[in-house]
Amino acid sequence: MLKVFHFPLCPFSRFVRILLHELGQKHSLQYEQFWLRQESFVSISPAASVPALVEKEQNIIIHGIHAIFEYFVELEGNNSMIIWGRSLSTADLQHRAKTRSLLDWFFYKFYSEVTYHLLSENIIKSIAYQGSPNSVAIRIAQINMLNNLKYIDS
């Protein structure tokens, strides 16, 4: 059975949990405080980032959202992969590229401009006792969120 190392509020972890659920993959969840960089976790995910997958029976260790996603695309085959209502089985290369572009938007741009700041300032700092949230960073993230949502709505 797959073991997913995750942090509940991490959007990449959330994506993997949803993906596994939609694919019907049995898995267990291991809550990981990745910012502590525990040696046992760093041996699985050298970047100490979530999500990471471990399948002990087949000796599979995968870390990083793109590697995990592409692993399941290969494992399941494009026929059963539907992400955000878009099938990856279509013969239309442009359609598949658009789907991956939307994923890329959320994995990088939205995360770096919005999610990272809100998550680290509001949640991680509190859990890890790293001081008070930076209100300027939070306000900038909120402005960035509105700009990003305008793109998504268009």
Side-chain angles (χ1 to χ4, degrees):
M1 180 188 295
L2 290 170
K3 179 184 263 188
V4 179
F5 291 82
H6 77 112
F7 182 70
L9 298 176
C10 168
F12 309 122
S13 295
R14 188 176 315 119
F15 177 81
V16 168
R17 291 191 313 268
I18 292 169
L19 178 67
L20 292 175
H21 178 75
E22 287 187 3
L23 295 175
Q25 288 281 337
K26 292 183 180 182
H27 61 282
S28 63
L29 298 175
Q30 173 68 46
Y31 173 78
E32 188 61 44
Q33 293 177 323
F34 58 92
W35 58 89
L36 297 178
R37 302 185 61 85
Q38 295 181 22
E39 190 175 322
S40 60
F41 180 61
V42 172
S43 68
I44 294 166
S45 176
S49 62
V50 290
L53 295 179
V54 174
E55 210 317 331
K56 288 188 179 184
E57 293 173 8
Q58 297 179 18
N59 196 30
I60 297 171
I61 297 175
I62 309 169
H63 54 89
I65 188 65
H66 283 295
I68 292 169
F69 175 68
E70 292 299 332
Y71 172 78
F72 284 105
V73 167
E74 295 288 327
L75 181 68
E76 297 291 325
N78 285 344
N79 294 333
S80 62
M81 296 294 290
I82 297 176
I83 304 298
W84 292 337
R86 294 175 174 266
S87 172
L88 295 180
S89 64
T90 179
D92 184 1
L93 176 62
Q94 189 173 11
H95 182 85
R96 292 192 316 269
K98 179 66 174 174
T99 300
R100 285 186 166 87
S101 292
L102 286 172
L103 288 171
D104 194 62
W105 180 277
F106 281 99
F107 290 159
Y108 293 105
K109 185 164 178 53
F110 194 85
Y111 178 77
S112 67
E113 291 184 0
V114 180
T115 308
Y116 171 78
H117 300 289
L118 295 176
L119 186 61
S120 65
E121 294 299 328
N122 288 329
I123 307 298
I124 303 296
K125 277 189 175 181
S126 174
I127 294 172
Y129 304 108
Q130 295 177 342
S132 299
N134 179 339
S135 61
V136 173
I138 293 170
R139 277 194 295 276
I140 290 171
Q142 290 172 331
I143 292 167
N144 289 341
M145 180 173 49
L146 294 174
N147 292 331
N148 277 268
L149 292 175
K150 284 179 190 174
Y151 167 77
I152 295 165
D153 284 340
S154 63

